[in-house]
Coordinates of all heavy atoms in Angstrom, one line a residue:
M1 N 70.9 75.4 112.7 CA 70.6 75.6 111.4 C 70.0 74.2 110.7 O 70.6 73.2 110.9 CB 72.0 75.9 110.6 CG 71.7 76.1 109.2 SD 73.3 76.4 108.3 CE 74.2 77.5 109.4
S2 N 69.0 74.4 109.9 CA 68.5 73.2 109.4 C 69.2 72.7 108.2 O 69.9 73.5 107.6 CB 66.9 73.4 109.0 OG 66.8 74.4 108.0
D3 N 69.0 71.4 107.7 CA 69.8 70.9 106.6 C 69.4 71.6 105.3 O 70.2 71.8 104.4 CB 69.5 69.4 106.4 CG 70.1 68.7 107.5 OD1 71.1 69.2 108.2 OD2 69.7 67.5 107.7
D4 N 68.2 72.2 105.2 CA 67.8 72.8 103.9 C 68.1 74.3 103.9 O 67.8 75.1 103.0 CB 66.3 72.5 103.7 CG 65.4 73.1 104.8 OD1 65.9 73.5 105.8 OD2 64.2 73.1 104.6
D5 N 68.7 74.9 104.9 CA 68.9 76.4 105.1 C 70.4 76.6 104.4 O 71.4 76.6 105.2 CB 68.9 76.8 106.6 CG 69.0 78.3 106.6 OD1 69.1 78.9 105.6 OD2 68.9 78.8 107.7
S6 N 70.5 76.8 103.2 CA 71.8 77.0 102.5 C 72.2 78.4 102.4 O 73.0 78.9 101.7 CB 71.8 76.4 101.2 OG 70.8 76.9 100.4
S7 N 71.4 79.4 103.0 CA 71.8 80.8 102.9 C 72.7 81.3 103.9 O 73.0 82.5 104.0 CB 70.4 81.6 103.0 OG 69.8 81.4 104.3
K8 N 73.1 80.5 104.9 CA 74.1 80.9 105.9 C 75.3 80.1 106.0 O 75.4 79.0 105.6 CB 73.3 80.8 107.3 CG 72.1 81.5 107.4 CD 71.3 81.3 108.7 CE 70.1 82.0 108.7 NZ 69.3 81.8 110.0
A9 N 76.4 80.9 106.3 CA 77.6 80.1 106.6 C 77.6 79.6 107.9 O 77.0 80.0 108.8 CB 78.8 81.2 106.4
R10 N 78.5 78.7 108.1 CA 78.7 78.1 109.4 C 80.2 77.9 109.7 O 81.0 77.8 108.9 CB 78.1 76.6 109.5 CG 78.6 75.6 108.4 CD 77.9 74.3 108.6 NE 78.0 73.6 107.3 CZ 79.2 73.0 107.0 NH1 80.2 72.9 107.8 NH2 79.2 72.2 105.9
P11 N 80.5 77.9 111.0 CA 82.0 77.8 111.4 C 82.5 76.4 110.8 O 81.7 75.4 110.5 CB 82.1 77.8 112.9 CG 80.9 78.5 113.3 CD 79.7 78.2 112.2
A12 N 83.7 76.4 110.4 CA 84.4 75.3 109.9 C 84.2 74.1 110.9 O 84.2 74.1 112.1 CB 85.9 75.4 109.7
D13 N 84.1 72.8 110.3 CA 83.9 71.6 111.1 C 85.3 71.5 111.9 O 86.3 71.8 111.6 CB 83.8 70.4 110.3 CG 82.5 70.4 109.5 OD1 81.5 70.9 110.0 OD2 82.4 69.8 108.5
T14 N 85.1 70.9 113.1 CA 86.2 70.8 114.0 C 87.4 69.8 113.4 O 88.5 69.8 113.9 CB 85.8 70.2 115.4 OG1 85.1 68.9 115.2 CG2 84.9 71.2 116.2
G15 N 87.0 69.0 112.4 CA 88.0 68.1 111.7 C 88.8 68.9 110.7 O 89.6 68.2 110.0
Q16 N 88.7 70.1 110.6 CA 89.4 70.8 109.6 C 90.9 70.8 109.9 O 91.4 70.6 111.0 CB 88.9 72.2 109.4 CG 89.4 73.1 110.6 CD 88.9 74.5 110.4 OE1 87.9 74.7 109.7 NE2 89.5 75.5 111.0
Q17 N 91.8 71.1 108.9 CA 93.2 71.4 109.1 C 93.6 72.5 110.1 O 92.8 73.4 110.1 CB 93.9 71.5 107.8 CG 93.8 70.4 106.8 CD 94.6 70.7 105.5 OE1 95.3 71.7 105.4 NE2 94.6 69.8 104.8
E18 N 94.5 72.2 110.9 CA 94.8 73.2 112.0 C 95.1 74.6 111.5 O 94.7 75.7 112.0 CB 95.9 72.8 112.8 CG 96.2 73.6 114.0 CD 97.3 73.0 114.9 OE1 97.5 71.8 114.9 OE2 98.1 73.8 115.5
N19 N 95.7 74.8 110.3 CA 96.1 76.1 109.8 C 95.0 76.8 108.9 O 95.2 77.8 108.5 CB 97.4 75.9 108.9 CG 98.6 75.6 109.7 OD1 98.6 75.9 110.9 ND2 99.5 75.0 109.1
E20 N 93.8 76.0 108.6 CA 92.9 76.6 107.8 C 92.0 77.7 108.7 O 91.5 77.2 109.7 CB 91.9 75.6 107.3 CG 91.0 76.0 106.4 CD 90.1 74.9 105.8 OE1 90.5 73.8 105.9 OE2 89.1 75.3 105.1
R21 N 92.0 78.9 108.3 CA 91.3 80.0 109.1 C 90.2 80.5 108.2 O 90.2 81.7 107.9 CB 92.4 81.0 109.5 CG 93.4 80.6 110.4 CD 94.5 81.6 110.6 NE 93.8 82.9 110.8 CZ 94.2 83.8 111.7 NH1 95.1 83.5 112.5 NH2 93.5 84.9 111.7
T22 N 89.3 79.7 107.9 CA 88.2 80.1 107.0 C 86.8 79.8 107.6 O 86.7 78.8 108.5 CB 88.2 79.7 105.6 OG1 88.1 78.3 105.6 CG2 89.6 80.2 105.0
L23 N 85.8 80.3 107.2 CA 84.5 79.7 107.4 C 84.1 78.8 106.3 O 84.5 79.0 105.1 CB 83.4 81.0 107.5 CG 83.6 81.9 108.6 CD1 82.6 83.0 108.4 CD2 83.6 81.3 109.9
Q24 N 83.4 77.8 106.6 CA 83.0 76.9 105.5 C 81.6 77.2 105.2 O 80.7 76.9 106.0 CB 83.2 75.4 106.0 CG 84.6 75.0 106.4 CD 85.5 75.2 105.2 OE1 85.1 74.5 104.2 NE2 86.7 75.7 105.4
P25 N 81.3 77.6 103.9 CA 79.9 78.0 103.5 C 79.1 76.7 103.2 O 79.7 75.6 102.9 CB 80.1 78.7 102.2 CG 81.3 78.1 101.7 CD 82.3 77.8 102.8
E26 N 77.9 76.8 103.3 CA 77.0 75.7 102.8 C 77.2 75.6 101.3 O 77.6 76.6 100.6 CB 75.6 76.1 103.1 CG 75.1 76.2 104.6 CD 75.2 74.9 105.2 OE1 75.0 73.8 104.6 OE2 75.4 74.8 106.6
P27 N 77.0 74.4 100.8 CA 77.2 74.3 99.3 C 76.5 75.2 98.5 O 75.1 75.5 98.8 CB 76.7 72.7 99.0 CG 76.9 72.2 100.4 CD 76.5 73.2 101.4
G28 N 77.1 75.7 97.6 CA 76.5 76.8 96.6 C 76.4 78.3 97.1 O 75.7 79.1 96.5
T29 N 77.0 78.5 98.4 CA 76.9 79.9 98.9 C 78.3 80.5 99.0 O 79.4 79.7 99.1 CB 76.3 79.9 100.2 OG1 77.0 79.1 101.1 CG2 74.9 79.3 100.2
A30 N 78.5 81.7 99.0 CA 79.8 82.4 99.2 C 80.0 82.6 100.7 O 79.0 82.6 101.5 CB 79.7 83.8 98.5
V31 N 81.3 82.6 101.0 CA 81.8 82.9 102.4 C 81.5 84.4 102.7 O 82.2 85.3 102.1 CB 83.2 82.4 102.7 CG1 83.7 82.8 104.0 CG2 83.4 81.0 102.4
P32 N 80.7 84.7 103.7 CA 80.7 86.1 104.0 C 81.9 86.6 104.8 O 82.5 85.7 105.5 CB 79.3 86.2 105.0 CG 79.3 84.9 105.5 CD 79.9 83.9 104.5
P33 N 82.3 87.9 104.8 CA 83.5 88.3 105.5 C 83.1 88.2 107.0 O 82.0 88.6 107.4 CB 83.6 89.7 105.1 CG 82.4 90.1 104.4 CD 81.7 88.9 103.9
A34 N 84.1 88.0 107.8 CA 84.0 87.9 109.3 C 84.3 89.2 109.8 O 85.3 89.8 109.6 CB 84.9 86.8 109.8
V35 N 83.4 89.7 110.7 CA 83.6 90.9 111.3 C 83.5 90.7 112.9 O 82.5 90.1 113.4 CB 82.5 92.0 110.9 CG1 82.7 93.4 111.5 CG2 82.5 92.1 109.3
L36 N 84.4 91.3 113.6 CA 84.4 91.3 115.1 C 84.0 92.5 115.8 O 84.3 93.6 115.4 CB 85.9 91.0 115.5 CG 86.2 91.0 116.9 CD1 85.5 89.8 117.7 CD2 87.8 90.8 117.1
T37 N 83.2 92.3 116.7 CA 82.7 93.5 117.7 C 83.5 93.2 119.0 O 83.3 92.1 119.6 CB 81.3 93.7 117.7 OG1 81.0 94.8 118.6 CG2 80.6 92.6 118.2
I38 N 83.9 94.2 119.6 CA 84.5 94.1 121.0 C 83.6 95.2 121.8 O 83.8 96.3 121.7 CB 85.9 94.4 121.0 CG1 86.6 93.4 120.2 CG2 86.4 94.4 122.5 CD1 88.1 93.8 120.0
A39 N 82.8 94.7 122.7 CA 81.8 95.5 123.4 C 81.1 94.8 124.5 O 81.4 93.6 124.8 CB 80.7 96.0 122.4
G40 N 80.4 95.5 125.2 CA 79.6 95.0 126.4 C 78.3 94.4 125.8 O 77.9 94.6 124.7
S41 N 77.7 93.6 126.6 CA 76.4 92.8 126.3 C 75.2 93.7 126.9 O 75.3 94.1 128.0 CB 76.4 91.4 127.0 OG 75.2 90.9 126.6
D42 N 74.3 94.0 126.1 CA 73.1 94.7 126.4 C 71.9 93.7 126.7 O 71.4 93.3 125.6 CB 72.8 95.8 125.5 CG 71.4 96.5 125.7 OD1 70.7 96.2 126.6 OD2 71.1 97.2 124.9
S43 N 71.5 93.3 127.9 CA 70.3 92.4 127.9 C 69.1 92.9 127.3 O 68.1 92.0 126.9 CB 70.3 92.0 129.4 OG 69.8 93.2 130.2
G44 N 69.0 94.1 127.0 CA 67.8 94.6 126.5 C 67.9 94.5 124.9 O 66.9 94.8 124.2
G45 N 69.0 94.3 124.3 CA 69.1 94.0 122.9 C 69.3 95.2 122.1 O 69.5 95.1 120.9
G46 N 69.3 96.5 122.6 CA 69.3 97.7 121.8 C 70.6 98.2 121.6 O 70.8 99.2 120.9
A47 N 71.6 97.7 122.3 CA 73.0 98.3 122.2 C 74.1 97.2 122.3 O 73.7 96.0 122.5 CB 73.2 99.4 123.1
G48 N 75.2 97.6 122.3 CA 76.3 96.6 122.6 C 76.4 95.5 121.5 O 76.1 95.6 120.4
I49 N 76.9 94.4 122.1 CA 77.2 93.2 121.2 C 75.9 92.8 120.4 O 75.9 92.6 119.3 CB 77.6 92.0 122.1 CG1 78.9 92.2 122.8 CG2 77.5 90.7 121.3 CD1 80.2 92.1 121.8
Q50 N 74.7 92.8 121.1 CA 73.5 92.4 120.4 C 73.1 93.3 119.2 O 72.8 92.7 118.1 CB 72.3 92.3 121.4 CG 72.4 91.3 122.5 CD 73.3 91.5 123.6 OE1 74.0 92.5 123.6 NE2 73.2 90.7 124.6
A51 N 73.3 94.6 119.4 CA 73.0 95.4 118.2 C 74.1 95.3 117.2 O 73.7 95.4 115.9 CB 72.9 97.0 118.8
D52 N 75.3 95.2 117.5 CA 76.3 95.1 116.6 C 76.1 93.7 115.7 O 76.2 93.9 114.4 CB 77.7 95.0 117.2 CG 78.2 96.2 117.9 OD1 77.5 97.3 117.5 OD2 79.1 96.3 118.7
L53 N 75.8 92.6 116.3 CA 75.6 91.4 115.6 C 74.5 91.5 114.7 O 74.5 91.0 113.6 CB 75.4 90.2 116.6 CG 76.7 89.8 117.4 CD1 76.4 88.8 118.3 CD2 77.8 89.5 116.3
K54 N 73.3 92.2 115.1 CA 72.2 92.4 114.2 C 72.6 93.3 113.0 O 72.2 92.9 111.9 CB 71.1 93.1 114.9 CG 70.4 92.2 116.0 CD 69.2 93.1 116.7 CE 69.1 93.0 118.1 NZ 68.2 93.8 118.7
T55 N 73.4 94.3 113.3 CA 73.8 95.1 112.1 C 74.7 94.4 111.2 O 74.6 94.5 109.9 CB 74.6 96.3 112.7 OG1 73.6 97.1 113.5 CG2 75.0 97.3 111.5
F56 N 75.6 93.5 111.8 CA 76.5 92.7 110.8 C 75.7 91.9 109.9 O 76.0 91.7 108.8 CB 77.5 92.0 111.7 CG 78.4 92.7 112.5 CD1 79.2 92.1 113.5 CD2 78.7 94.1 112.3 CE1 80.2 92.8 114.2 CE2 79.6 94.8 113.0 CZ 80.5 94.2 114.1
M57 N 74.7 91.1 110.5 CA 73.9 90.3 109.8 C 73.1 91.0 108.6 O 73.0 90.4 107.6 CB 72.9 89.4 110.7 CG 72.1 88.5 110.1 SD 71.0 87.7 111.2 CE 70.9 86.0 110.5
A58 N 72.7 92.1 109.1 CA 71.7 92.9 108.1 C 72.6 93.3 106.9 O 72.1 93.6 105.7 CB 71.1 94.1 108.7
N59 N 73.9 93.3 107.1 CA 74.9 93.9 106.0 C 75.7 92.6 105.3 O 76.6 92.9 104.7 CB 75.9 94.9 106.6 CG 75.3 96.2 106.8 OD1 75.0 96.9 105.8 ND2 74.9 96.5 108.0
G60 N 75.2 91.5 105.6 CA 75.7 90.3 105.0 C 77.1 89.9 105.5 O 77.8 89.2 104.7
T61 N 77.4 90.1 106.7 CA 78.6 89.7 107.3 C 78.4 88.7 108.3 O 77.3 88.4 108.9 CB 79.5 90.8 107.8 OG1 78.8 91.4 109.0 CG2 79.9 91.9 106.7
Y62 N 79.5 87.9 108.7 CA 79.5 86.9 109.9 C 80.0 87.5 111.0 O 81.1 87.9 111.1 CB 80.3 85.7 109.3 CG 80.3 84.6 110.3 CD1 79.3 83.6 110.2 CD2 81.2 84.4 111.3 CE1 79.3 82.5 111.1 CE2 81.2 83.3 112.1 CZ 80.1 82.4 112.1 OH 80.2 81.3 112.9
G63 N 79.1 87.7 112.0 CA 79.5 88.5 113.3 C 80.1 87.5 114.2 O 79.7 86.5 114.6
L64 N 81.2 88.1 114.8 CA 82.0 87.5 115.9 C 82.0 88.5 117.0 O 81.8 89.7 116.8 CB 83.4 87.2 115.4 CG 83.6 86.4 114.2 CD1 85.0 86.7 113.5 CD2 83.2 85.0 114.3
S65 N 82.1 88.0 118.3 CA 82.2 88.9 119.4 C 83.2 88.5 120.5 O 83.5 87.3 120.7 CB 80.8 88.9 120.1 OG 80.4 87.7 120.6
V66 N 83.6 89.6 121.1 CA 84.5 89.6 122.3 C 83.7 90.4 123.4 O 83.4 91.6 123.2 CB 85.9 90.1 122.2 CG1 86.5 90.2 123.6 CG2 86.6 89.2 121.2
I67 N 83.2 89.8 124.4 CA 82.4 90.5 125.4 C 83.2 91.1 126.5 O 84.0 90.3 127.1 CB 81.2 89.6 126.0 CG1 80.4 89.1 124.9 CG2 80.5 90.2 127.1 CD1 79.3 88.1 125.2
T68 N 83.0 92.4 126.8 CA 83.7 93.1 127.8 C 83.2 93.3 129.0 O 83.6 93.7 130.1 CB 84.4 94.4 127.2 OG1 83.2 95.2 126.9 CG2 85.3 94.2 125.9
A69 N 81.8 93.4 129.1 CA 80.9 93.6 130.3 C 79.6 92.9 130.0 O 79.2 92.7 128.8 CB 80.7 95.1 130.3
I70 N 78.9 92.6 131.1 CA 77.5 92.0 131.1 C 76.7 93.0 131.9 O 77.1 93.4 133.0 CB 77.6 90.7 131.7 CG1 78.5 89.8 131.0 CG2 76.1 90.2 131.8 CD1 78.8 88.4 131.7
T71 N 75.5 93.3 131.3 CA 74.6 94.2 132.0 C 73.2 93.6 132.2 O 72.9 92.7 131.5 CB 74.4 95.5 131.1 OG1 73.7 95.2 129.9 CG2 75.7 96.3 130.9
A72 N 72.6 94.2 133.2 CA 71.2 93.9 133.4 C 70.4 95.2 133.1 O 70.5 96.1 133.9 CB 70.9 93.5 134.8
Q73 N 69.9 95.3 131.9 CA 69.2 96.6 131.5 C 68.0 96.3 130.7 O 67.9 95.2 130.0 CB 70.3 97.4 130.8 CG 70.8 97.0 129.5 CD 71.8 97.8 128.9 OE1 73.0 97.7 129.2 NE2 71.5 98.8 128.0
N74 N 67.3 97.4 130.4 CA 66.2 97.4 129.5 C 66.0 98.7 128.8 O 67.0 99.5 129.0 CB 64.8 97.0 130.3 CG 64.6 97.8 131.4 OD1 64.9 99.0 131.4 ND2 63.9 97.4 132.4
T75 N 64.9 99.2 128.3 CA 64.9 100.3 127.6 C 64.8 101.5 128.6 O 65.1 102.7 128.1 CB 63.5 100.4 126.7 OG1 62.4 100.1 127.5 CG2 63.6 99.3 125.7
R76 N 64.6 101.3 129.9 CA 64.6 102.4 130.8 C 65.9 102.7 131.5 O 66.0 103.6 132.2 CB 63.4 102.1 131.8 CG 62.0 102.1 131.1 CD 60.9 101.9 132.1 NE 61.1 100.7 132.8 CZ 60.2 99.8 132.8 NH1 59.1 99.9 132.2 NH2 60.3 98.7 133.6
G77 N 66.8 101.7 131.4 CA 68.1 102.0 132.1 C 68.9 100.7 132.4 O 68.4 99.6 132.3
V78 N 70.0 101.0 133.0 CA 71.0 99.9 133.4 C 70.7 99.6 134.9 O 70.9 100.6 135.6 CB 72.4 100.4 133.1 CG1 73.3 99.2 133.6 CG2 72.6 100.6 131.6
R79 N 70.4 98.5 135.2 CA 70.3 98.1 136.6 C 71.6 97.6 137.2 O 71.9 97.9 138.5 CB 69.3 97.0 136.8 CG 67.9 97.4 136.4 CD 66.9 96.3 136.6 NE 65.6 96.8 136.0 CZ 64.5 96.1 136.0 NH1 64.5 94.9 136.6 NH2 63.3 96.6 135.6
R80 N 72.5 97.0 136.5 CA 73.8 96.6 137.0 C 74.7 96.2 135.9 O 74.2 95.9 134.7 CB 73.6 95.2 137.8 CG 74.9 94.7 138.5 CD 74.7 93.7 139.4 NE 75.8 93.2 139.9 CZ 76.2 92.0 140.5 NH1 75.0 91.2 140.7 NH2 77.3 91.7 141.0
A81 N 75.9 96.4 136.0 CA 77.0 96.2 135.0 C 78.2 95.6 135.7 O 78.5 95.9 136.8 CB 77.4 97.4 134.2
V82 N 78.7 94.6 135.2 CA 79.8 93.8 135.6 C 80.8 93.7 134.5 O 80.5 93.1 133.4 CB 79.6 92.4 136.2 CG1 80.7 91.7 136.6 CG2 78.5 92.6 137.3
G83 N 82.1 94.1 134.7 CA 83.1 94.0 133.7 C 83.7 92.5 133.7 O 83.6 91.9 134.6
V84 N 84.1 92.1 132.5 CA 84.8 90.8 132.3 C 86.2 91.1 132.6 O 86.9 92.1 132.3 CB 84.4 90.4 130.9 CG1 85.3 89.0 130.7 CG2 83.0 90.1 130.6
E85 N 86.9 90.1 133.2 CA 88.3 90.2 133.6 C 89.1 90.3 132.3 O 88.9 89.6 131.3 CB 88.7 88.9 134.3 CG 88.2 88.6 135.6 CD 88.6 87.2 136.2 OE1 89.8 86.9 135.8 OE2 87.9 86.7 137.1
P86 N 90.1 91.1 132.4 CA 91.0 91.4 131.1 C 91.5 90.2 130.7 O 91.6 90.0 129.4 CB 92.0 92.4 131.8 CG 91.4 93.1 132.8 CD 90.4 92.1 133.5
A87 N 91.9 89.2 131.4 CA 92.5 88.0 131.0 C 91.5 87.1 130.1 O 91.9 86.7 129.1 CB 93.1 87.1 132.1
L88 N 90.3 87.2 130.5 CA 89.2 86.4 129.7 C 88.9 87.2 128.5 O 88.7 86.6 127.5 CB 88.0 86.4 130.6 CG 86.9 85.5 129.9 CD1 87.3 84.3 129.3 CD2 85.7 85.3 130.8
I89 N 88.9 88.5 128.5 CA 88.7 89.4 127.3 C 89.9 89.0 126.3 O 89.7 88.7 125.1 CB 88.8 90.8 127.6 CG1 87.5 91.2 128.3 CG2 88.7 91.6 126.2 CD1 87.6 92.6 129.0
R90 N 91.2 88.9 126.7 CA 92.2 88.5 125.9 C 92.1 87.2 125.4 O 92.3 86.9 124.2 CB 93.5 88.7 126.7 CG 94.8 88.4 126.0 CD 96.1 88.7 126.7 NE 96.1 88.5 128.2 CZ 96.0 89.5 129.0 NH1 95.9 90.7 128.7 NH2 95.8 89.1 130.4
E91 N 91.7 86.2 126.2 CA 91.4 84.8 125.7 C 90.3 84.7 124.8 O 90.5 84.0 123.7 CB 91.2 83.9 126.9 CG 92.3 83.6 127.8 CD 92.0 82.7 129.0 OE1 91.4 81.7 128.8 OE2 92.4 83.1 130.1
Q92 N 89.3 85.5 124.8 CA 88.3 85.5 123.8 C 88.8 85.9 122.6 O 88.5 85.3 121.5 CB 87.1 86.4 124.3 CG 86.2 86.0 125.4 CD 85.2 87.0 125.7 OE1 84.2 87.1 124.9 NE2 85.5 87.9 126.7
L93 N 89.5 87.1 122.5 CA 90.1 87.7 121.3 C 91.1 86.6 120.6 O 91.0 86.5 119.5 CB 90.8 88.9 121.6 CG 91.4 89.7 120.5 CD1 90.3 90.0 119.5 CD2 92.1 91.0 121.0
E94 N 92.0 86.1 121.4 CA 92.9 85.1 120.9 C 92.3 84.0 120.3 O 92.6 83.4 119.3 CB 93.8 84.6 122.0 CG 94.8 85.7 122.4 CD 95.7 85.4 123.7 OE1 95.5 84.3 124.2 OE2 96.6 86.2 124.0
A95 N 91.1 83.4 120.9 CA 90.5 82.3 120.5 C 89.9 82.5 119.1 O 89.9 81.7 118.1 CB 89.4 81.8 121.4
V96 N 89.2 83.7 119.0 CA 88.7 84.0 117.6 C 89.7 84.2 116.5 O 89.6 83.7 115.5 CB 87.8 85.4 117.8 CG1 87.4 85.9 116.5 CG2 86.6 85.1 118.7
L97 N 90.7 85.1 116.9 CA 91.8 85.3 116.0 C 92.6 84.1 115.5 O 93.1 83.9 114.4 CB 92.7 86.4 116.4 CG 92.1 87.8 116.6 CD1 93.1 88.8 117.2 CD2 91.4 88.2 115.4
D98 N 92.7 83.1 116.4 CA 93.4 81.8 116.1 C 92.7 81.0 115.1 O 93.3 80.1 114.5 CB 93.7 81.0 117.4 CG 94.7 81.5 118.2 OD1 95.5 82.4 117.9 OD2 94.9 81.2 119.4
D99 N 91.4 81.1 114.9 CA 90.6 80.3 114.1 C 90.0 80.8 112.9 O 89.7 80.1 111.9 CB 89.5 79.7 115.1 CG 88.6 78.6 114.4 OD1 89.2 77.8 113.6 OD2 87.4 78.8 114.5
I100 N 89.6 82.2 112.9 CA 88.8 82.8 111.9 C 89.6 84.0 111.4 O 90.2 84.8 112.1 CB 87.5 83.2 112.5 CG1 86.7 81.9 113.0 CG2 86.6 83.8 111.4 CD1 85.5 82.2 113.7
D101 N 89.6 84.1 110.0 CA 90.1 85.3 109.4 C 89.3 86.5 109.4 O 88.3 86.7 108.7 CB 90.4 84.9 107.8 CG 91.0 86.0 107.0 OD1 91.7 86.8 107.7 OD2 90.9 86.0 105.9
V102 N 89.5 87.3 110.6 CA 88.7 88.5 110.7 C 89.0 89.6 109.7 O 90.2 89.9 109.6 CB 88.9 89.0 112.2 CG1 88.1 90.3 112.5 CG2 88.4 87.9 113.2
R103 N 88.0 90.0 109.1 CA 88.3 91.1 108.0 C 88.1 92.4 108.5 O 88.6 93.4 107.8 CB 87.3 90.9 106.9 CG 87.5 89.4 106.2 CD 88.9 89.0 105.9 NE 89.4 89.9 104.9 CZ 89.8 89.7 103.8 NH1 89.9 88.5 103.2 NH2 90.3 90.5 102.9
A104 N 87.4 92.7 109.5 CA 87.1 94.1 110.1 C 86.9 93.9 111.6 O 86.4 92.9 112.1 CB 86.0 94.8 109.5
A105 N 87.1 95.0 112.4 CA 86.6 94.9 113.7 C 86.1 96.3 114.2 O 86.4 97.2 113.6 CB 87.9 94.6 114.6
K106 N 85.1 96.2 115.1 CA 84.5 97.4 115.6 C 84.8 97.4 117.1 O 84.6 96.5 117.9 CB 82.9 97.4 115.4 CG 82.4 98.6 116.0 CD 80.8 98.2 116.0 CE 80.2 99.3 117.0 NZ 80.4 99.3 118.4

């Protein structure tokens, strides 16, 4: 993000207080609500995490993700899919929830 781009929120600086669970907006902007998607990744960009994050952004929210699977796919089909270990899925979710005030989840 460039210094002159004040239209977007950014995650809080790492020097923030441990109990603060907010996004720190650029000066003069409002904090968008944080929305979490839990889904697989679509390398073609038309579904899954990628599509959800595009939708969140188009609706003025700050998108967060927990990835459950990784695929090799395009518009014609899925070539391969690999699931993420449940322990890593849990760790992703805990990491997000420990730091950010999630207002909604999909």
